[in-house]
């Protein structure tokens, strides 16, 4: 019985986050109340406070939930040693595939980018996003530095700057897709664009 209760509690928690994310996307973070979330989720306000400290905590846990799901499933650029260009491209492809099939991520991206005011109450979320960006750039730059050391990088290019450019280019493609999915498919169109970008960094074999 205890196990069932634990499973039900987790189902309720996820349902609250799902409802909150939908409302944040529709109405904006500041315009969404805990009462709105309770109604959308079909629970009482007390149930919300049982699982969350407040609205800012709901948004923070939404980030952990959705990004954690993607990170747990995707192949990462640092997953293989030594790194290769195939490693880089595989990581990019799996990332795009997961984003294209995870509708919750698109909602979260829109909320964080366009539907939330970065007030003092969610500064910890801003700090977490900043750290995530720094770590992503550092990981890609390190892989590119290793490739340069192995003689696989085009002469004259700075691995760190190339790492920044790949992260920025990837984000640009993802943002364009999230704002208007009719423009392109992430996997059919976005991936070839990233592949072309990566190919400009490879050492010529001719």
């Amino acid at each position: 019985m205890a196990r069932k209760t634990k499973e039900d509690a987790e189902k309720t928690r996820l349902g609250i986050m799902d409802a909150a994310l939908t409302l944040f996307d529709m109405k904006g973070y500041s315009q969404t109340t805990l009462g709105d979330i309770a109604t959308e989720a079909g629970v009482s306000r007390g149930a919300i406070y049982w699982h969350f400290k407040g609205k800012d905590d709901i948004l923070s846990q939404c980030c952990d939930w959705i990004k954690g799901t993607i990170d747990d499933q995707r192949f990462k650029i640092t997953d293989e040693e030594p790194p290769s260009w195939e490693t880089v491209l595989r990581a990019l492809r799996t990332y795009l595939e997961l984003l294209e099939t995870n509708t919750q991520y698109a909602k979260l991206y829109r909320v964080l980018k366009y539907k939330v005011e970065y007030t003092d109450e969610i500064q910890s979320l801003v700090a977490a996003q900043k750290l995530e960006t720094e770590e992503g750039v550092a990981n890609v730059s390190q892989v590119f530095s290793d490739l340069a050391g192995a003689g696989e990088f085009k002469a004259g290019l700075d691995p760190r700057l190339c790492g920044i450019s790949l992260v920025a280019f990837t984000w640009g493609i993802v943002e364009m897709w999230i704002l208007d999915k009719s423009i392109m498919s992430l996997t059919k169109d976005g991936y070839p664009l990233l592949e072309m970008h990566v190919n400009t960094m490879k050492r010529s074999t001719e």
Side-chain angles (χ1 to χ4, degrees):
M1 188 69 174
R3 181 182 176 186
K4 181 65 174 177
T5 301
K6 185 176 180 181
E7 290 175 350
D8 287 346
E10 180 61 8
K11 183 178 179 180
T12 299
R13 189 180 77 89
L14 293 176
I16 292 170
M17 288 194 292
D18 184 58
L21 193 59
T22 296
L23 291 173
F24 294 158
D25 188 30
M26 289 174 54
K27 301 175 60 175
Y29 176 81
S30 63
Q31 296 300 313
T32 300
T33 67
L34 290 178
D36 294 334
I37 296 171
T39 299
E40 181 74 15
V43 301
S44 66
R45 285 174 63 97
I48 292 179
Y49 281 115
W50 177 261
H51 293 282
F52 306 95
K53 297 175 183 177
K55 194 167 66 169
D56 57 326
D57 188 35
I58 296 176
L59 180 57
S60 177
Q61 290 198 42
C62 280
C63 291
D64 293 340
W65 169 43
I66 296 169
K67 292 181 179 179
T69 299
I70 290 176
D71 285 342
D72 287 344
Q73 296 181 46
R74 74 185 180 97
F75 175 83
K76 300 177 182 64
I77 200 168
T78 54
D79 277 355
E80 284 186 355
E81 293 291 344
S84 65
W85 288 115
E86 288 71 25
T87 302
V88 173
L89 292 173
R90 182 181 171 193
L92 291 170
R93 175 176 281 280
T94 58
Y95 179 60
L96 295 182
E97 287 173 347
L98 284 169
L99 294 190
E100 198 157 45
T101 57
N102 190 319
T103 57
Q104 295 290 58
Y105 184 91
K107 286 183 183 179
L108 178 63
Y109 189 100
R110 282 194 300 269
V111 168
L112 294 177
K113 188 76 173 178
Y114 304 109
K115 305 294 183 74
V116 65
E117 296 178 4
Y118 287 102
T119 57
D120 290 342
E121 67 178 355
I122 56 173
Q123 281 307 304
S124 60
L125 187 58
V126 177
Q129 291 186 74
K130 182 174 182 293
L131 179 61
E132 181 181 324
T133 301
E134 291 172 348
E135 290 177 345
V137 169
N139 287 339
V140 177
S141 298
Q142 182 58 56
V143 168
F144 284 177
S145 180
D146 292 343
L147 287 169
E152 296 294 329
F153 223 73
K154 183 178 291 185
L157 293 182
D158 183 331
R160 185 185 71 86
L161 291 179
C162 287
I164 294 173
S165 77
L166 181 58
V167 171
F169 194 54
T170 302
W171 280 9
I173 288 173
V174 170
E175 180 168 346
M176 181 181 293
W177 172 77
I178 284 176
L179 288 176
D180 186 356
K181 295 179 182 178
S182 68
I183 294 176
M184 64 177 170
S185 158
L186 274 185
T187 50
K188 292 181 180 179
D189 305 312
Y191 176 73
L193 289 172
L194 288 175
E195 188 176 25
M196 285 190 289
H197 188 61
V198 168
N199 285 340
T200 65
M201 307 174 196
K202 293 182 180 181
R203 177 180 63 85
S204 175
T205 57
E206 297 180 358

